[in-house]
Amino acid sequence: MAARGRGSAAGSRAPLVAGATFLCVAVLLLAAAIPAAEAGTTYLVGDAAGWTHNVDYGQWVAGMTFHAGDILVFKYNTTYHDVTWVSKGGYRKCIVSPKGRAPVYHTGYDAVTLPRGTHYFICGAPGHCSDGMKLAVTVY
Ligand SMILES: *[C@@H]1O[C@H](CO)[C@@H](O)[C@H](O)[C@H]1NC(C)=O
Ligand SMILES: [Cu+2]
């Protein structure tokens, strides 16, 4: 009776060890993945050209995938430009919307941390958005 009990206990140890090993590996993988996901990637909008005229920002974002926590850096000459975070309607019509509540950046080197969703940025200087200074990014 007692011997058979010990025997069956020893027999059940292998799956237990395998289970524990799997759990350890899973925890290690998770620990390795979390900091990478939180770190975020920084993108210089327009690459070397920066935030200015004569850049197709639709082409610049094409094929890129943004994740929550990624950072967009807008680099530009403050004499001429700014960065205004507008609504979808503001982007489409090239107007600052919501009026008085759209965040405006004007340091010339603005780092914007992206939340999940689709976000719209325009230059608030008259005529610049309709001239192409507009950027829409979808963030996963
Ligand atoms: C911005 O433009 C002004 C006027 O053209 C120029 O004097 C200035 O050097 C420019 N600043 C930068 C950082 O390029
Ligand atoms: Cu501008």
Side-chain angles (χ1 to χ4, degrees), residues 27-49:
V27 166
L28 284 174
L29 285 176
L30 208 64
I34 286 168
E38 281 177 352
T41 306
T42 299
Y43 297 92
L44 184 60
V45 175
D47 298 317

PDB file of all heavy atoms in Angstrom, residues 27-49:
ATOM      1  N   VAL A  27       7.542  33.035 -17.877  1.00  0.00           N
ATOM      2  CA  VAL A  27       7.770  34.230 -17.055  1.00  0.00           C
ATOM      3  C   VAL A  27       8.977  35.007 -17.588  1.00  0.00           C
ATOM      4  O   VAL A  27       8.934  36.229 -17.708  1.00  0.00           O
ATOM      5  CB  VAL A  27       7.966  33.838 -15.561  1.00  0.00           C
ATOM      6  CG1 VAL A  27       8.539  34.999 -14.769  1.00  0.00           C
ATOM      7  CG2 VAL A  27       6.635  33.382 -14.964  1.00  0.00           C
ATOM      8  N   LEU A  28      10.027  34.305 -17.959  1.00  0.00           N
ATOM      9  CA  LEU A  28      11.227  34.955 -18.497  1.00  0.00           C
ATOM     10  C   LEU A  28      10.917  35.669 -19.809  1.00  0.00           C
ATOM     11  O   LEU A  28      11.351  36.795 -20.016  1.00  0.00           O
ATOM     12  CB  LEU A  28      12.349  33.926 -18.713  1.00  0.00           C
ATOM     13  CG  LEU A  28      13.065  33.471 -17.443  1.00  0.00           C
ATOM     14  CD1 LEU A  28      14.041  32.355 -17.748  1.00  0.00           C
ATOM     15  CD2 LEU A  28      13.785  34.635 -16.754  1.00  0.00           C
ATOM     16  N   LEU A  29      10.160  35.007 -20.679  1.00  0.00           N
ATOM     17  CA  LEU A  29       9.794  35.621 -21.965  1.00  0.00           C
ATOM     18  C   LEU A  29       8.964  36.876 -21.744  1.00  0.00           C
ATOM     19  O   LEU A  29       9.181  37.895 -22.378  1.00  0.00           O
ATOM     20  CB  LEU A  29       9.015  34.620 -22.831  1.00  0.00           C
ATOM     21  CG  LEU A  29       9.842  33.506 -23.477  1.00  0.00           C
ATOM     22  CD1 LEU A  29       8.933  32.543 -24.214  1.00  0.00           C
ATOM     23  CD2 LEU A  29      10.880  34.098 -24.433  1.00  0.00           C
ATOM     24  N   LEU A  30       8.045  36.800 -20.814  1.00  0.00           N
ATOM     25  CA  LEU A  30       7.169  37.925 -20.493  1.00  0.00           C
ATOM     26  C   LEU A  30       7.999  39.081 -19.951  1.00  0.00           C
ATOM     27  O   LEU A  30       7.841  40.229 -20.360  1.00  0.00           O
ATOM     28  CB  LEU A  30       6.142  37.462 -19.457  1.00  0.00           C
ATOM     29  CG  LEU A  30       4.807  38.191 -19.477  1.00  0.00           C
ATOM     30  CD1 LEU A  30       4.105  37.926 -20.795  1.00  0.00           C
ATOM     31  CD2 LEU A  30       3.941  37.725 -18.313  1.00  0.00           C
ATOM     32  N   ALA A  31       8.932  38.779 -19.043  1.00  0.00           N
ATOM     33  CA  ALA A  31       9.795  39.796 -18.448  1.00  0.00           C
ATOM     34  C   ALA A  31      10.645  40.474 -19.514  1.00  0.00           C
ATOM     35  O   ALA A  31      10.901  41.668 -19.455  1.00  0.00           O
ATOM     36  CB  ALA A  31      10.685  39.169 -17.386  1.00  0.00           C
ATOM     37  N   ALA A  32      11.069  39.710 -20.509  1.00  0.00           N
ATOM     38  CA  ALA A  32      11.899  40.259 -21.574  1.00  0.00           C
ATOM     39  C   ALA A  32      11.069  41.129 -22.515  1.00  0.00           C
ATOM     40  O   ALA A  32      11.549  42.114 -23.051  1.00  0.00           O
ATOM     41  CB  ALA A  32      12.562  39.140 -22.360  1.00  0.00           C
ATOM     42  N   ALA A  33       9.801  40.754 -22.702  1.00  0.00           N
ATOM     43  CA  ALA A  33       8.942  41.462 -23.653  1.00  0.00           C
ATOM     44  C   ALA A  33       8.435  42.792 -23.098  1.00  0.00           C
ATOM     45  O   ALA A  33       8.300  43.753 -23.829  1.00  0.00           O
ATOM     46  CB  ALA A  33       7.762  40.582 -24.040  1.00  0.00           C
ATOM     47  N   ILE A  34       8.155  42.872 -21.804  1.00  0.00           N
ATOM     48  CA  ILE A  34       7.532  44.061 -21.225  1.00  0.00           C
ATOM     49  C   ILE A  34       8.378  45.341 -21.370  1.00  0.00           C
ATOM     50  O   ILE A  34       7.880  46.309 -21.910  1.00  0.00           O
ATOM     51  CB  ILE A  34       7.089  43.802 -19.759  1.00  0.00           C
ATOM     52  CG1 ILE A  34       5.847  42.907 -19.781  1.00  0.00           C
ATOM     53  CG2 ILE A  34       6.763  45.107 -19.048  1.00  0.00           C
ATOM     54  CD1 ILE A  34       5.481  42.333 -18.419  1.00  0.00           C
ATOM     55  N   PRO A  35       9.666  45.346 -20.993  1.00  0.00           N
ATOM     56  CA  PRO A  35      10.434  46.593 -21.147  1.00  0.00           C
ATOM     57  C   PRO A  35      10.526  47.042 -22.602  1.00  0.00           C
ATOM     58  O   PRO A  35      10.453  48.217 -22.882  1.00  0.00           O
ATOM     59  CB  PRO A  35      11.814  46.241 -20.621  1.00  0.00           C
ATOM     60  CG  PRO A  35      11.639  44.995 -19.856  1.00  0.00           C
ATOM     61  CD  PRO A  35      10.464  44.292 -20.440  1.00  0.00           C
ATOM     62  N   ALA A  36      10.620  46.083 -23.536  1.00  0.00           N
ATOM     63  CA  ALA A  36      10.716  46.415 -24.956  1.00  0.00           C
ATOM     64  C   ALA A  36       9.451  47.125 -25.422  1.00  0.00           C
ATOM     65  O   ALA A  36       9.512  48.095 -26.169  1.00  0.00           O
ATOM     66  CB  ALA A  36      10.943  45.160 -25.773  1.00  0.00           C
ATOM     67  N   ALA A  37       8.298  46.663 -24.952  1.00  0.00           N
ATOM     68  CA  ALA A  37       7.034  47.249 -25.360  1.00  0.00           C
ATOM     69  C   ALA A  37       6.863  48.644 -24.766  1.00  0.00           C
ATOM     70  O   ALA A  37       6.281  49.513 -25.387  1.00  0.00           O
ATOM     71  CB  ALA A  37       5.884  46.357 -24.931  1.00  0.00           C
ATOM     72  N   GLU A  38       7.402  48.880 -23.579  1.00  0.00           N
ATOM     73  CA  GLU A  38       7.213  50.158 -22.915  1.00  0.00           C
ATOM     74  C   GLU A  38       8.185  51.232 -23.383  1.00  0.00           C
ATOM     75  O   GLU A  38       7.902  52.411 -23.261  1.00  0.00           O
ATOM     76  CB  GLU A  38       7.351  49.986 -21.392  1.00  0.00           C
ATOM     77  CG  GLU A  38       6.103  49.400 -20.752  1.00  0.00           C
ATOM     78  CD  GLU A  38       6.277  49.159 -19.261  1.00  0.00           C
ATOM     79  OE1 GLU A  38       7.411  49.312 -18.769  1.00  0.00           O
ATOM     80  OE2 GLU A  38       5.275  48.819 -18.623  1.00  0.00           O
ATOM     81  N   ALA A  39       9.336  50.814 -23.897  1.00  0.00           N
ATOM     82  CA  ALA A  39      10.386  51.768 -24.237  1.00  0.00           C
ATOM     83  C   ALA A  39       9.951  52.750 -25.319  1.00  0.00           C
ATOM     84  O   ALA A  39      10.180  53.936 -25.198  1.00  0.00           O
ATOM     85  CB  ALA A  39      11.635  51.031 -24.671  1.00  0.00           C
ATOM     86  N   GLY A  40       9.275  52.260 -26.359  1.00  0.00           N
ATOM     87  CA  GLY A  40       8.833  53.137 -27.432  1.00  0.00           C
ATOM     88  C   GLY A  40       9.967  53.479 -28.373  1.00  0.00           C
ATOM     89  O   GLY A  40      11.132  53.458 -27.990  1.00  0.00           O
ATOM     90  N   THR A  41       9.588  53.797 -29.602  1.00  0.00           N
ATOM     91  CA  THR A  41      10.572  54.146 -30.625  1.00  0.00           C
ATOM     92  C   THR A  41      10.393  55.616 -30.961  1.00  0.00           C
ATOM     93  O   THR A  41       9.268  56.107 -31.000  1.00  0.00           O
ATOM     94  CB  THR A  41      10.334  53.271 -31.875  1.00  0.00           C
ATOM     95  OG1 THR A  41      10.349  51.902 -31.474  1.00  0.00           O
ATOM     96  CG2 THR A  41      11.399  53.495 -32.930  1.00  0.00           C
ATOM     97  N   THR A  42      11.488  56.298 -31.189  1.00  0.00           N
ATOM     98  CA  THR A  42      11.427  57.714 -31.542  1.00  0.00           C
ATOM     99  C   THR A  42      11.595  57.881 -33.049  1.00  0.00           C
ATOM    100  O   THR A  42      12.500  57.279 -33.642  1.00  0.00           O
ATOM    101  CB  THR A  42      12.516  58.496 -30.780  1.00  0.00           C
ATOM    102  OG1 THR A  42      12.280  58.352 -29.384  1.00  0.00           O
ATOM    103  CG2 THR A  42      12.483  59.971 -31.143  1.00  0.00           C
ATOM    104  N   TYR A  43      10.709  58.654 -33.650  1.00  0.00           N
ATOM    105  CA  TYR A  43      10.752  58.907 -35.093  1.00  0.00           C
ATOM    106  C   TYR A  43      10.900  60.401 -35.339  1.00  0.00           C
ATOM    107  O   TYR A  43      10.150  61.202 -34.768  1.00  0.00           O
ATOM    108  CB  TYR A  43       9.455  58.430 -35.749  1.00  0.00           C
ATOM    109  CG  TYR A  43       9.222  56.946 -35.633  1.00  0.00           C
ATOM    110  CD1 TYR A  43       8.485  56.426 -34.571  1.00  0.00           C
ATOM    111  CD2 TYR A  43       9.746  56.062 -36.574  1.00  0.00           C
ATOM    112  CE1 TYR A  43       8.268  55.049 -34.457  1.00  0.00           C
ATOM    113  CE2 TYR A  43       9.529  54.692 -36.467  1.00  0.00           C
ATOM    114  CZ  TYR A  43       8.791  54.201 -35.405  1.00  0.00           C
ATOM    115  OH  TYR A  43       8.578  52.846 -35.301  1.00  0.00           O
ATOM    116  N   LEU A  44      11.840  60.766 -36.188  1.00  0.00           N
ATOM    117  CA  LEU A  44      11.994  62.155 -36.592  1.00  0.00           C
ATOM    118  C   LEU A  44      11.082  62.372 -37.802  1.00  0.00           C
ATOM    119  O   LEU A  44      11.317  61.792 -38.883  1.00  0.00           O
ATOM    120  CB  LEU A  44      13.461  62.440 -36.942  1.00  0.00           C
ATOM    121  CG  LEU A  44      13.806  63.886 -37.304  1.00  0.00           C
ATOM    122  CD1 LEU A  44      13.498  64.842 -36.146  1.00  0.00           C
ATOM    123  CD2 LEU A  44      15.277  64.000 -37.697  1.00  0.00           C
ATOM    124  N   VAL A  45      10.047  63.168 -37.586  1.00  0.00           N
ATOM    125  CA  VAL A  45       9.047  63.380 -38.642  1.00  0.00           C
ATOM    126  C   VAL A  45       9.711  64.020 -39.872  1.00  0.00           C
ATOM    127  O   VAL A  45      10.377  65.047 -39.754  1.00  0.00           O
ATOM    128  CB  VAL A  45       7.891  64.265 -38.124  1.00  0.00           C
ATOM    129  CG1 VAL A  45       6.914  64.606 -39.242  1.00  0.00           C
ATOM    130  CG2 VAL A  45       7.169  63.571 -36.968  1.00  0.00           C
ATOM    131  N   GLY A  46       9.528  63.369 -41.015  1.00  0.00           N
ATOM    132  CA  GLY A  46      10.115  63.866 -42.257  1.00  0.00           C
ATOM    133  C   GLY A  46      11.591  63.545 -42.400  1.00  0.00           C
ATOM    134  O   GLY A  46      12.247  64.059 -43.316  1.00  0.00           O
ATOM    135  N   ASP A  47      12.075  62.724 -41.492  1.00  0.00           N
ATOM    136  CA  ASP A  47      13.510  62.373 -41.467  1.00  0.00           C
ATOM    137  C   ASP A  47      14.372  63.643 -41.510  1.00  0.00           C
ATOM    138  O   ASP A  47      14.072  64.575 -40.784  1.00  0.00           O
ATOM    139  CB  ASP A  47      13.844  61.397 -42.608  1.00  0.00           C
ATOM    140  CG  ASP A  47      13.076  60.084 -42.468  1.00  0.00           C
ATOM    141  OD1 ASP A  47      12.990  59.569 -41.332  1.00  0.00           O
ATOM    142  OD2 ASP A  47      12.540  59.596 -43.477  1.00  0.00           O
ATOM    143  N   ALA A  48      15.367  63.686 -42.356  1.00  0.00           N
ATOM    144  CA  ALA A  48      16.317  64.815 -42.377  1.00  0.00           C
ATOM    145  C   ALA A  48      15.639  66.142 -42.729  1.00  0.00           C
ATOM    146  O   ALA A  48      16.041  67.196 -42.243  1.00  0.00           O
ATOM    147  CB  ALA A  48      17.439  64.510 -43.351  1.00  0.00           C
ATOM    148  N   ALA A  49      14.581  66.095 -43.538  1.00  0.00           N
ATOM    149  CA  ALA A  49      13.896  67.328 -43.946  1.00  0.00           C
ATOM    150  C   ALA A  49      13.182  67.980 -42.769  1.00  0.00           C
ATOM    151  O   ALA A  49      13.053  69.195 -42.700  1.00  0.00           O
ATOM    152  CB  ALA A  49      12.905  67.027 -45.068  1.00  0.00           C
TER     153      ALA A  49
END
